[in-house]
C-alpha cells in the first residue's frame, strides 16, 4: 500500500501530523508508509530516507526480533501497549522508547496499516538508573552499619566476658597470694632466719624497699610479707608489671592488675595508680625491665609523691640475673631512679643457698598443692629428697613449686616421687629452659621451652646474628630488634600470636618467646586436605582481618602475610581459632626510620603486592590486604592467583596480569566471594578495600547458604586422630618451621 492509498480518516490524520511523540505508519509487512514531523526531528532522517523502507532501518539489530514480533501481534488484532523498545537515530544514538502499536483499517473495515507510537523515555531511564544507584548505595550503607553494630555488640560481649574472667582470676590469685607468701619464709637455715628478720624490720620502717635476687626466689611473696607486717596491711596491695610497659603507654590511662593481675600488660599512669594504692603498697614488679624512656617519668613521680599526702609505699623487685649478657640489672636503671627506689634494700638468696630448708619447703608446698587438688599425700620419697639436695635449682623456689605441683597431680600413692627426668637440664635462655628443638631454618632455631616462674609451655625462637658485624653494627641491630619486638608485644588481638618476652643471649643471639600453639598453618593444611569450603574460608578470613585491624590502626603493617603465617589452632574448647604469626618484618608507619634503603624485598613472592615488589616508599597497610586476598585464593583453590618457577616470573604477573576469579578453578565458589577476593587483588592500592576493618565487615556481611558451624570445625581435622600427623612429624624449610602436637609455627624470623 502506498502513501497515496492510506485510509482517509481526517481526525486521525490531524492527530498524526501534530502529535508531540514520534509516530510511524507501516504497512502490514513492516515498510514505512509515512511519519510525522516529530519522528523526523527525533530520528534525524528526512522523510524520503524512511518512507518505503523497512521499519527495521531505525531499530537496533539486537531488537529486530522484538519489532517483528510486535508487528505480528498487532496484525492478529492483539493490543500492544507500553512495551519498552529501542530506536536508532541517523547519528547512531540508541534511544529508549515506550511502544504502542495500533491496527488501522480501511473504509471497508479490513486491516490496512499499523501506527507505531514511540514515546521517548530517556529522561525516565536516567531517573530510574539514579534511583537504582541510590538504592544500591543505601543497601551498602545499611550493610556496613549492620556489620558495625554486630562488631560493636561482639566487642561488648567479649569485654564483658573478659571482665568476668578477670574478676574470677583476681579473686583466686589474691587468695593464693595471701596463703602462699609464708612458704618463702619457712626453714631454719641461716638465710631463712635472716630473711624473716629482715621482713619484720622492713615492715616497721616507713621508707621504700628495693627487693633484688635471682628470678623465682620469691620477690612478690616477700613484698606481700613486708606489706602484711606493716601498719598498711589493711590497705591495698597494687602490683604493676614494669616489663609490660613502654614509652608509648606512659601517658595512657591506668590499667591495674590489683591484687592479682598476674603480670597482665597494660598502660600505666603513675598518678592514677597512686590513687588506687593510696595508703597501701605499690609493688613495681621487674623494675629493671622498665624501658629507659619511661624511667624519668617514674623517677619524677617517686620524688614528687612525697608532697601528695598519705601516698603509697613503694616496693620494687629487681632481678639480679641478666638476659643480654651486656649489663647488670642495676645498670638497666638510671642512677636517679635507683636512688629514688633505694631507701631500703633486701637481697633474696637463691634456693641453692638454702639447701637445708628443702625438707621444710617441700613439706609446706606439698600441703598447699594437696589441699588445692583434694589429694592426700604424705611427703616425698627419700630418693626424691636426695635428688633435690643434689640439684642446683636454676629456677629457685618457683621451679620447686611448679615441679611439686606437677608431681602431686601425677602421684598414685601417698608418697610423691619426682623422677630425675623431671629435673631441668640443658640450655637456659632468658629464664627459659630449652626442652626440645622443634625446628630449624636458615635464620635460626625454634625450641619448646618452659619458664622458671611459670608452668606453661612456650616457643623460643633463637635468631643467629649476622656474621662479621662490628660493634656499631651489632648495637644498631639490637636496637632495631628491640624496637620491632616492642611494637609486636603491643598488639593485643586474640588472633595475633602473643609475644611473652624477648632479649639477647651472651653469645650474641636474639630470641623471641611466644605462646605455644596446637594446630597447623594454612600452607600445610591445604597440602594435606585440599581446598576449603567457602564458609570455612570466610570464618578464618574474618579472624585474620581482626588481627590486622588492630595492627593497621596502630600504624603497623605485617609485610609478609602468607598461608604459612596464618595458623589454625585449637585454643581451649574453640576449634578453627586463627592466629596471625610473625610480625617480625613489621613496619611502624608512625615512627621515622634511620635505616638505610633496603636491598632486599620483604615478603613472600606469591603474596606480594605490586607496590611492595617495586619497593615504593608509600607502600602501606593495603599491601597486607592484597596478600590476604592471595591467601583467601589459596584457601579456596589450593593455588595462588599467580605462580611461576622463579620469583621474577611471579612478580611480573603480580604487576601486569589479571587474576582469574577463584570459581574459574573451583566451580561453586559464590559469586559474591569471587568479587571480594578479586577486590583485594586490584593492582592499585586505592582500588582495594580501604582498610582491614572495612574488609572484615564485608566478609562478616557476606551471607552464604551453608555457613561454617562449630561442629563442622571440630570434625574438620581436629578430632579424627587418624587424620592427624604423627606426633613427631616436623617440617623444616626455608620459609619456616612447623610441628604438630603442641605446634609452634614460626616463620620469617626477625630480618637483619
Amino acid at each position: 500500500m502506498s502513501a497515496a492509498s492510506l485510509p482517509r480518516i481526517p481526525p486521525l490524520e490531524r492527530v498524526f501530523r501534530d502529535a508531540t511523540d514520534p509516530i510511524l505508519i507501516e504497512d502490514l509487512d513492516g515498510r514505512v508508509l509515512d511519519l510525522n514531523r516529530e519522528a523526523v526531528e527525533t530520528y534525524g532522517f528526512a522523510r524520503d530516507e524512511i518512507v518505503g523502507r523497512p521499519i527495521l532501518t531505525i531499530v537496533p539489530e539486537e531488537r529486530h526480533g522484538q519489532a517483528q514480533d510486535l508487528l505480528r501481534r498487532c496484525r492478529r488484532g492483539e493490543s500492544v501497549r507500553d512495551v519498552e523498545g529501542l530506536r536508532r537515530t541517523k547519528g547512531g544514538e540508541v534511544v529508549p522508547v515506550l511502544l504502542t502499536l495500533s491496527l488501522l483499517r480501511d473504509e471497508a473495515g479490513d486491516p490496512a496499516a499499523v501506527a507505531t507510537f514511540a514515546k521517548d523515555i530517556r529522561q525516565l531511564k536516567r531517573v530510574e538508573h539514579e534511583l537504582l544507584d541510590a538504592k544500591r548505595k543505601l543497601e551498602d550503607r545499611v550493610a556496613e552499619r549492620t556489620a558495625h553494630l554486630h562488631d560493636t555488640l561482639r566487642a561488648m560481649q567479649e569485654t564483658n566476658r573478659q571482665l568476668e574472667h578477670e574478676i574470677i582470676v583476681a579473686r583466686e590469685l589474691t587468695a593464693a597470694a595471701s596463703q602462699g607468701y609464708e612458704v618463702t619464709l619457712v626453714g631454719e637455715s641461716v638465710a631463712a632466719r635472716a630473711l624473716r628478720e629482715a621482713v619484720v624490720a622492713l615492715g616497721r620502717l616507713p621508707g621504700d624497699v628495693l627487693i633484688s635476687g635471682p628470678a623465682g626466689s620469691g620477690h612478690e611473696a616477700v613484698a606481700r610479707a613486708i606489706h602484711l607486717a606493716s601498719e598498711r596491711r589493711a590497705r591495698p596491695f597494687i602490683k604493676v608489671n614494669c616489663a609490660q610497659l613502654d614509652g608509648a603507654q606512659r601517658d595512657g590511662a591506668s590499667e591495674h592488675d590489683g591484687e592479682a593481675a598476674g603480670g597482665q600488660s597494660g598502660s600505666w599512669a603513675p598518678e592514677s595508680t597512686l590513687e588506687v594504692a593510696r595508703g597501701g603498697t605499690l609493688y613495681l614488679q621487674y623494675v629493671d625491665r622498665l624501658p629507659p624512656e619511661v624511667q624519668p617519668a617514674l623517677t619524677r613521680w617517686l620524688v614528687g609523691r612525697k608532697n601528695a599526702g598519705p601516698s603509697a609505699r613503694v616496693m620494687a623487685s629487681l632481678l639480679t640475673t641478666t638476659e643480654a649478657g651486656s649489663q647488670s640489672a642495676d645498670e638497666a636503671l638510671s642512677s636517679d631512679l635507683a636512688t629514688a627506689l633505694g631507701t631500703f634494700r633486701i637481697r633474696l638468696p637463691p634456693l641453692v643457698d638454702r639447701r637445708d630448708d628443702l625438707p621444710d619447703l617441700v613439706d609446706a608446698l606439698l600441703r598447699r598443692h594437696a589441699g588445692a587438688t583434694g589429694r592426700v599425700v604424705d611427703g616425698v620419697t627419700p630418693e626424691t629428697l636426695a635428688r633435690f639436695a643434689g640439684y642446683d635449682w636454676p629456677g629457685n623456689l618457683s621451679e620447686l613449686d611448679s615441679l611439686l605441683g606437677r608431681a602431686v597431680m601425677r602421684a598414685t600413692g601417698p608418697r610423691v616421687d619426682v623422677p630425675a627426668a623431671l629435673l631441668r637440664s640443658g640450655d637456659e635462655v632468658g629464664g627459659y629452659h630449652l626442652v626440645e628443638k622443634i625446628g630449624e631454618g636458615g635464620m635460626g632455631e625454634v625450641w619448646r621451652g618452659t619458664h622458671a616462674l611459670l608452668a606453661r609451655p612456650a616457643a623460643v625462637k633463637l635468631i643467629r646474628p649476622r656474621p662479621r658485624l662490628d660493634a656499631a653494627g651489632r648495637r644498631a641491630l639490637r636496637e632495631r630488634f628491640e624496637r620491632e619486638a616492642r611494637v609486636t608485644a603491643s598488639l593485643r588481638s586474640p588472633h595475633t600470636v602473643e609475644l611473652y618476652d624477648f632479649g639477647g643471649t651472651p653469645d650474641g643471639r636474639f630470641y623471641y618467646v611466644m605462646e605455644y600453639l596446637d594446630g597447623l598453618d594454612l600452607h600445610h593444611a591445604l597440602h594435606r586436605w585440599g581446598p576449603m569450603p567457602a564458609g570455612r574460608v570466610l570464618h578464618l578470613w574474618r579472624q585474620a582481618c581482626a588481627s590486622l585491624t588492630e595492627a593497621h590502626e596502630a600504624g603497623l603493617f605485617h609485610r609478609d602475610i602468607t598461608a604459612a603465617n596464618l595458623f589454625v589452632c585449637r585454643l581451649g574448647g574453640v576449634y578453627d581459632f586463627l592466629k596471625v604469626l610473625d610480625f617480625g618484618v613489621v613496619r611502624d608507619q608512625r615512627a621515622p626510620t634511620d635505616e638505610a634503603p633496603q636491598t632486599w624485598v620483604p615478603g613472600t613472592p606469591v603474596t606480594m603486592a605490586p607496590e611492595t615488589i617495586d619497593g615504593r616508599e608509600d607502600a602501606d597497610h593495603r599491601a597486607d590486604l592484597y596478600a590476604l586476598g592471595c591467601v583467601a585464593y589459596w584457601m579456596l583453590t589450593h593455588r595462588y592467583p599467580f605462580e611461576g618457577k622463579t620469583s621474577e616470573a611471579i612478580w611480573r604477573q603480580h604487576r601486569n596480569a589479571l587474576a582469574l576469579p577463584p570459581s574459574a578453578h573451583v566451580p561453586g565458589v559464590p559469586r559474591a566471594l569471587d568479587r571480594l577476593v578479586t577486590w583485594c587483588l586490584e593492582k592499585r592500592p586505592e582500588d582495594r578495600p580501604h582498610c582491614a576493618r572495612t574488609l572484615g565487615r564485608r566478609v562478616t556481611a557476606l551471607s552464604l547458604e551453608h555457613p561454617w558451624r562449630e561442629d563442622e570445625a571440630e570434625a574438620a581435622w581436629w578430632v579424627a586422630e587418624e587424620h592427624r600427623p604423627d606426633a613427631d612429624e616436623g617440617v623444616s624449610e626455608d620459609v619456616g618451621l612447623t610441628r604438630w602436637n603442641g605446634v609452634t609455627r614460626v616463620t620469617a624470623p626477625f630480618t637483619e
Side-chain angles (χ1 to χ4, degrees), residues 432 435-439 446-450 455-461 497-500 513-519 567 569-572 579 581 727 729 738-746:
Y432 291 87
V435 178
E436 177 190 18
K437 183 190 291 187
I438 58 176
V446 178
W447 289 73
R448 179 171 62 85
T450 58
R456 69 182 178 190
V460 182
K461 178 165 60 171
V497 66
E498 186 176 359
L499 180 66
Y500 295 153
V513 183
M514 290 160 289
E515 61 181 318
Y516 195 67
L517 302 174
D518 179 14
F567 197 95
C569 60
R570 174 174 51 187
L571 198 62
K579 291 272 189 177
L581 307 182
E729 179 177 352
T738 300
R739 186 177 175 86
W740 267 90
N741 288 354
V743 169
T744 291
R745 173 64 175 72
V746 185

Side-chain angles (χ1 to χ4, degrees), residues 518-522 524-544 566-570 574-578 631-632 634-636 670 673 699 702 704-719 723 740:
D518 179 14
L520 195 65
D521 65 73
L522 291 177
H524 291 89
L526 268 290
H527 280 316
R528 184 171 294 277
W529 290 286
M532 294 182 176
R536 192 178 192 187
V537 170
L538 288 178
H539 176 69
L540 298 175
W541 207 8
R542 184 184 308 116
Q543 298 176 69
L566 298 184
F567 197 95
V568 187
C569 60
R570 174 174 51 187
V574 180
Y575 297 86
D576 269 8
F577 196 95
L578 185 134
V631 175
W634 167 264
M635 289 190 284
L636 289 166
L673 184 52
V699 171
L702 197 61
L704 295 180
E705 184 178 355
H706 301 292
W708 192 244
R709 302 193 312 270
E710 177 71 19
D711 58 334
E712 290 177 312
E714 183 176 356
W717 39 269
W718 296 107
V719 176
H723 291 162
W740 267 90

Side-chain angles (χ1 to χ4, degrees), residues 369 399 401-411 422 450 455:
H369 286 298
E399 183 182 0
D401 186 20
S402 176
L403 187 65
L404 289 175
R406 285 179 287 164
V408 167
M409 294 299 297
R410 294 165 51 121
L422 287 184
T450 58

Side-chain angles (χ1 to χ4, degrees), residues 1-8 25-28 31-34 47 51-52 112-113:
M1 177 181 291
S2 67
S5 62
L6 282 172
R8 305 291 295 176
I25 306 297
E26 311 157 39
D27 66 15
L28 297 180
R31 288 190 303 276
V32 177
L33 301 175
D34 202 356
R47 189 173 182 279
V51 172

